[in-house]
């Protein structure tokens, strides 16, 4: 392992900060999502509706507790902390000309605190939250105007924090929205609410195109502003395995993988791949894509490949094979008998991490950064203690495979940040009880609790992992 390997943790603004309406912050998409659970999806409401419960409004009160939390991260030895900037703290509506100074000051203070504690901020510019006004007034990323709004926001924060933040990412898990049957992803990735009967896939491809242009513009701007800055993309790297050796399954897995690879192909190589252009042609799709857009995309390619990894997906083309019917994993997903799952049905597959790292290394030969990996579990709080052995087992197995990919296979990896290093609000379900942290937060699903922080057993374990640079698992 390289000496300066970036061990750390990751959170996102809307899942931890709370303070959803203080010091000028505007409403964001995350503020209009209620809580669900493993069986019931979160509801996306038309604005904040009285009487409904919105778990992100309060988060875990990181906005007020961040100094204490960062102190605890530094006790674990974090070299970096990944979080995001809430766009609506900086531009409350998204389409103003001038930013909100109070919002900017908050992130100055937050980043200073991280740096004082010896950790680099790793910052996502758009992590599943868009000023809600942009959704209502412009239809979110359906609209080309979003490129300008996003660009303006990014210019402001890149300029302001250029000497504090080296590693940036544009859009978190930009590929999630390819699961078009799931309303959640279109809304969180792009602020899109589907209309009845619309061709969802066409809508999403258009939105994704605008995001590609925006991402490239921002990347080019960052490079011209400060050559030290490293810009990355971010995808949810869920590889697809064929269910059997039947060539139909093999071809299906390849086709499903392309829904993931197209995002890195464009953001790393700078142009649309042939397989995608061909698909659009076959579907008779046309889009608002200008030649200037294509030039921008060619120039604004990223410096590193950021990805999150939680699970693999196994797919079957055989109609007689029972599908999971889980809209988080797509229409062809089937059970993989070689893997167990979390209580939320996510396949636990440490070797899949080694597999995706090698897939990316072979295809792109640029540095990669594992910006999320973690284990969601309903931890038991017993007499002030949380014995989360299963989380340690999960992380240990994944880190071991990551090390093999680096040391035995030669993958070039900058760092590894564990998702939800302090218990956050779950993104997919809005629950508190789906916990990820090394630090337990005393908050219940309904928002009650003292919000006090407690160290779990995994806290001390990760401390040793970092101290030994991954030797001591
Ligand atoms: C990733 C997201 O999809 O997975 C995070 O980038 C999210 O925002 C994480 O929280 C885990 O998902 P969940 O639904 O278990 O919180």
């Amino acid at each position: 392992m390289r000496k300066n390997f970036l061990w750390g943790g990751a959170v996102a603004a809307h899942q931890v900060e709370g303070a959803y309406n203080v010091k000028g912050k505007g409403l964001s998409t995350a503020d209009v999502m209620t809580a669900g659970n493993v069986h019931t999806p979160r509801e996306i409401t038309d604005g904040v509706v009285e009487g409904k419960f919105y778990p992100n409004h309060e988060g875990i009160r990181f906005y007020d507790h961040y100094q204490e939390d960062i102190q605890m991260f530094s006790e674990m030895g974090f070299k970096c902390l990944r979080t995001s900037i809430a766009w609506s703290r900086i531009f409350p509506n998204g389409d103003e000309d001038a930013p909100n100074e109070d919002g900017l000051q908050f992130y100055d203070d937050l980043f200073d605190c991280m740096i004082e504690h010896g950790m680099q901020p790793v910052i996502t510019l758009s992590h599943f939250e868009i000023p809600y006004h942009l959704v209502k007034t412009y239809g979110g990323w359906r609209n080309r105007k979003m490129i300008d709004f996003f660009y303006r926001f990014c210019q402001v924060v890149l300029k302001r924090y250029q000497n504090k933040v080296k590693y940036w990412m544009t859009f978190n898990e930009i590929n999630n929205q390819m699961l078009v049957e799931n309303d959640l992803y279109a809304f969180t990735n792009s602020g899109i609410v589907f209309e009845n009967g619309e061709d969802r896939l066409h809508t999403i491809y258009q939105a994704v195109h605008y995001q590609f242009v925006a991402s490239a513009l921002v990347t080019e701007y960052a490079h011209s502003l400060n050559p030290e800055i490293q810009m990355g993309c971010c995808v949810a790297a869920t590889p697809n395995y064929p269910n059997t050796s039947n060539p139909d399954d093999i071809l299906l897995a390849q086709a499903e993988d392309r829904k993931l690879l197209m995002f890195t192909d464009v953001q790393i190589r700078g142009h649309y791949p042939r397989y995608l252009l061909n698909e659009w042609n076959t579907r008779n799709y046309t889009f608002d894509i200008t030649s200037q857009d294509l030039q921008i995309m060619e120039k604004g390619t990223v410096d590193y490949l950021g990805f999150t990894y939680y699970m693999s997906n196994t797919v079957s083309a055989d109609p007689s094979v029972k599908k999971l019917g889980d809209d988080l994993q797509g229409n062809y997903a089937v059970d993989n008998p070689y893997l167990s799952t979390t209580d939320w049905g996510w396949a636990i597959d440490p070797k899949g991490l080694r597999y995706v790292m090698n897939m990316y290394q072979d295809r792109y030969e640029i540095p990669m950064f594992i910006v999320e990996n973690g284990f969601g579990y309903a931890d038991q709080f017993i007499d002030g203690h949380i014995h989360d052995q299963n989380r340690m087992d999960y992380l240990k197995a994944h880190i071991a495979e990551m090390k093999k990919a680096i040391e035995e296979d030669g993958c070039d990896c900058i760092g590894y940040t564990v998702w939800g290093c302090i218990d956050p609000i779950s993104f997919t379900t809005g629950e508190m009880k789906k916990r990820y942290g090394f630090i337990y937060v005393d908050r219940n699903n309904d928002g009650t609790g003292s919000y006090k922080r407690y160290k779990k057993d995994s806290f001390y374990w990760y401390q040793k992992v970092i101290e030994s640079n991954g030797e001591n698992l």
Side-chain angles (χ1 to χ4, degrees), residues 130 134-147 149 177 183 186-187 189-211 287-288:
I130 297 169
L134 298 180
V135 173
K136 292 300 280 180
T137 313
Y138 301 93
W141 283 95
R142 288 176 187 278
N143 195 322
R144 180 178 273 277
K145 288 203 176 96
M146 287 293 283
I147 300 176
F149 300 141
Q177 52 199 322
D183 292 348
F187 190 67
N189 277 127
S190 289
I192 287 176
V193 179
F194 288 123
E195 286 154 18
N196 277 343
E198 82 173 293
D199 182 341
R200 290 179 168 215
L201 187 60
H202 184 269
T203 303
I204 289 300
Y205 274 136
Q206 181 67 71
V208 162
H209 173 71
Y210 293 146
Q211 288 171 354
F287 297 104
D288 169 28

Side-chain angles (χ1 to χ4, degrees), residues 208 230 272 279 286 349 460:
V208 162
Q230 294 287 298
Y272 282 114
E279 183 200 325
T286 54
D349 182 12
Y460 303 100

